[in-house]
């Protein structure tokens, strides 16, 4: 049996599952609830936008790793 992965906006998941079920498809619902609060998601999105808009304002991983203090 073939499997298909489809990215679906969060606000359309219930609709998609109902549609697929009504069309006779078996849906394995292994969806996870958001582990972040809406405010945390907002902060992550702001950081991602800032990284995209100002990539030189962040250290790459190797430089950042050097600044970590491991005891």
């Amino acid at each position: 049996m073939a499997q298909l992965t489809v990215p679906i906006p969060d606000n359309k998941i219930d609709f998609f599952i109902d549609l697929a079920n009504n069309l006779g498809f078996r849906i394995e619902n292994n969806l996870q609830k958001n582990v972040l609060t809406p405010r945390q998601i907002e902060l992550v999105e702001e950081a991602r936008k800032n990284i995209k808009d100002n990539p030189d304002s962040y250290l790459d991983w190797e430089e950042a790793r050097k600044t970590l203090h491991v005891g």
Side-chain angles (χ1 to χ4, degrees):
M1 179 182 308
Q3 292 184 346
L4 177 66
T5 301
V6 181
I8 302 166
D10 290 342
N11 64 338
K12 301 290 183 182
I13 290 174
D14 291 335
F15 168 79
F16 182 82
I17 289 173
D18 287 342
L19 175 64
N21 284 331
N22 285 328
L23 292 174
F25 292 101
R26 190 183 93 221
I27 300 293
E28 292 181 16
N29 188 350
N30 54 4
L31 301 172
Q32 297 178 358
K33 298 268 184 199
N34 283 339
V35 294
L36 301 177
T37 66
R39 178 63 180 144
Q40 289 170 323
I41 293 170
E42 182 181 311
L43 291 170
V44 169
E45 292 302 321
E46 288 174 13
R48 290 177 66 188
K49 181 180 182 323
N50 194 33
I51 290 168
K52 182 179 177 184
D53 293 345
N54 305 299
D56 294 334
S57 66
Y58 291 87
L59 296 175
D60 67 21
W61 169 242
E62 290 304 319
E63 291 299 315
R65 189 169 60 93
K66 292 175 188 176
T67 67
L68 297 176
H69 302 285
V70 180

